[in-house]
Amino acid sequence: AAYAPYSQFSNKFYGTLASNNGQVSADRMGDARWVQCYAVWMPDNEGDEKGDIPSIEWYRNAVAWFKDQMEQLSDRFEQVRSFSDIPAILDAGKVAAVLTVENAACLDAGIEVVDEFADDGVLIAGVTWNYRNALGSGNNYPDEGLTDLGKEYLAALEEHGIVADVSHLNEKGFWELESLATKPYVATHSNSRAL
């Protein structure tokens, strides 16, 4: 199947989740039992990486590719639908694949996209990348925090049991999210300022 948003990156990434030229390849991991977060990354609308592909289409194509990989590689990979699934998946000798979202720019299509995240099995979802989106601003805009939709987004994530990821969110947005959060959140790939 063709996954339109990824065709422009075909010269950079070759293969499957099991065997590829990327940083994480199951073939190179040997017999290790491991959990891997597979992020649906969406470029910012302000950058030129995405072209004219709507963010929601980008998201849906990425998830379709991930699900196709889970089906094709079902003897080696299993999607984690709940964090409590992880021990059994690892005991079966499979890679425990956690579906995540980095930069929820596709929420410009409406808050109901969070329902779609939940149906797709997304367990962790970020807010922004480096620029602005309908939810808030990344580090390139330090004086802008969460939008009203961003605050609604956090509540919707929590309602669905999806963990909010504050990575890439600017400081103002982080402190706003922190003050509104009623459930734990994570920073999957960020450092404290001291580091």
Side-chain angles (χ1 to χ4, degrees):
Y3 302 99
Y6 296 97
S7 62
Q8 61 190 326
F9 297 114
S10 62
N11 62 337
K12 297 178 184 178
F13 178 85
Y14 297 102
T16 68
L17 293 181
S19 178
N20 60 67
N21 66 333
Q23 293 178 351
V24 178
S25 172
D27 286 350
R28 291 193 299 276
M29 295 294 286
D31 293 330
R33 295 173 2 135
W34 52 295
V35 179
Q36 178 66 46
C37 290
Y38 291 99
V40 175
W41 172 81
M42 283 169 271
D44 291 309
N45 291 334
E46 296 185 32
D48 60 1
E49 299 96 336
K50 182 168 70 83
D52 60 357
I53 299 167
S55 295
I56 190 64
E57 182 181 333
W58 187 283
Y59 168 78
R60 288 174 178 154
N61 276 276
V63 169
W65 185 82
F66 174 81
K67 289 179 178 181
D68 185 58
Q69 289 292 289
M70 292 300 103
E71 186 176 318
Q72 287 185 32
L73 303 168
S74 61
D75 59 325
R76 298 177 67 188
F77 287 76
E78 186 172 333
Q79 182 179 358
V80 176
R81 304 293 287 190
S82 167
F83 291 113
S84 63
D85 296 341
I86 292 172
I89 294 170
L90 295 178
D91 287 346
K94 295 181 180 182
V95 174
V98 178
L99 183 60
T100 72
V101 170
E102 180 173 354
N103 185 12
C106 60
L107 264 287
D108 58 6
I111 195 69
E112 62 277 359
V113 173
V114 178
D115 297 334
E116 198 168 330
F117 285 2
D119 290 344
D120 291 332
V122 171
L123 295 181
I124 302 171
V127 181
T128 62
W129 196 48
N130 293 332
Y131 297 94
R132 296 180 185 106
N133 65 25
L135 307 173
S137 297
N139 277 314
N140 288 3
Y141 295 92
D143 299 326
E144 300 174 16
L146 296 176
T147 65
D148 289 342
L149 182 61
K151 294 170 186 175
E152 191 178 347
Y153 170 70
L154 173 63
L157 290 180
E158 290 184 342
E159 181 182 326
H160 284 292
I162 300 171
V163 178
D165 185 357
V166 297
S167 298
H168 290 279
L169 190 59
N170 67 18
E171 186 173 356
K172 183 175 181 180
F174 166 82
W175 287 113
E176 288 178 347
L177 187 145
E178 200 282 330
S179 71
L180 295 168
T182 63
K183 295 187 178 178
Y185 54 87
V186 295
T188 58
H189 58 289
S190 355
N191 293 321
S192 70
R193 180 171 290 147
L195 296 177

